[in-house]
Amino acid sequence: MKKRLIVATRNAHKVEEIRAILSTFEVLDLSVLTDPPEVEETGTTFLENATLKAVAISDLTDALVLSDDSGLEVDSLGGDPGVYSSRYAGGDGNDSLNNEKLLREMDGNCERTARFRCVIVLARGGNVLADFSGAVEGRILQQKQGGGGFGYDPLFAPEGYEMSFAELGEEIKNSMSHRSRALEGVVDWLSRRFPLG
Ligand code: ITT
């Protein structure tokens, strides 16, 4: 029987990616819980925010809970939008407004190196079990390219590619993404901790 994991996120794209990468697990979303709280991300680091989400949700269930806090760091913007990636264009912002704001901030700037970072926390019964991180280096494109993925994918070309994550597609993104690199650590940790699945 597959091991069950609840992903503590309201971002359906993250659930989809995590499910595709953790194919040997039964990956469930928050809909399996009754009225899960909206966890406020008051931390100043990915680890703090991932911990807040994992602890709050794992308090409500006996199942293993996995949270993901992630974002884009642009070198010439001093690491912004960073932990504020989902709220870059304001609290009511969305992917499209966030991308427009990033393009405005980068207008005329030829220093375009950036990375996606992901921190994952595993928790059970309100206690943190372990944390993992992953990153992928790349650069910010001059305009949006491609219709796949989510968030800043249309503006991010990973190192060694001219195409954006949104053009490269799910399989290539998942073979090198910040999220898949953090999840490698999760798989390794879980297989040692629960060798029989
Ligand atoms: P939860 O907090 O409910 O998990 P969220 O989308 O608010 O959902 P975060 O606070 O971790 O999640 O913010 C992540 C933001 O960073 C996300 O909304 C995107 O803007 C960006 N991001 C993270 N991973 C990304 C990826 O793989 N591709 C594109 N953008 C990504």
Side-chain angles (χ1 to χ4, degrees):
M1 210 171 70
K2 286 185 175 182
K3 176 144 217 60
R4 291 174 93 217
L5 270 176
I6 297 178
V7 183
T9 180
R10 293 184 182 269
N11 182 327
H13 298 281
K14 283 188 186 177
V15 179
E16 228 174 83
E17 289 189 5
I18 292 167
R19 193 172 276 141
I21 296 164
L22 291 186
S23 52
T24 56
F25 293 79
E26 187 184 356
V27 175
L28 305 169
D29 62 25
L30 285 175
S31 65
V32 297
L33 302 176
T34 319
D35 284 336
E38 185 96 46
V39 182
E40 226 190 311
E41 296 190 11
T42 52
T44 55
T45 63
F46 295 121
L47 180 58
E48 280 172 17
N49 285 336
T51 302
L52 286 170
K53 292 186 268 192
V55 167
I57 298 301
S58 72
D59 242 346
L60 310 173
T61 169
D62 290 335
L64 198 54
V65 169
L66 180 156
S67 70
D68 164 319
D69 204 66
S70 44
L72 179 70
E73 294 175 350
V74 181
D75 292 322
S76 62
L77 300 178
D80 281 349
V83 291
Y84 304 105
S85 291
S86 64
R87 301 166 266 168
Y88 195 38
D92 300 328
N94 55 41
D95 287 350
S96 165
L97 292 173
N98 288 338
N99 280 315
E100 279 169 29
K101 174 162 183 192
L102 181 60
L103 281 178
R104 277 198 308 278
E105 297 289 333
M106 296 295 287
D107 193 26
N109 190 343
C110 50
E111 173 47 70
R112 304 184 78 88
T113 53
R115 73 203 51 75
F116 275 124
R117 237 182 238 297
C118 174
V119 172
I120 285 178
V121 167
L122 284 180
R124 182 169 251 166
N127 297 307
V128 170
L129 300 176
D131 64 85
F132 311 86
S133 59
V136 56
E137 300 289 329
R139 62 177 214 291
I140 305 303
L141 295 164
Q142 299 287 348
Q143 71 272 309
K144 290 209 267 182
Q145 293 180 196
F150 72 100
Y152 300 92
D153 281 342
L155 286 178
F156 183 86
E159 222 164 53
Y161 290 82
E162 295 304 316
M163 288 198 281
S164 72
F165 263 164
E167 291 176 293
L168 287 168
E170 191 185 318
E171 204 173 313
I172 295 180
K173 179 181 177 187
N174 289 346
S175 72
M176 66 173 84
S177 77
H178 50 314
R179 184 160 295 108
S180 68
R181 286 175 179 164
L183 286 169
E184 274 172 28
V186 173
V187 171
D188 184 56
W189 190 90
L190 286 174
S191 62
R192 279 187 284 119
R193 186 84 178 237
F194 304 103
L196 299 177

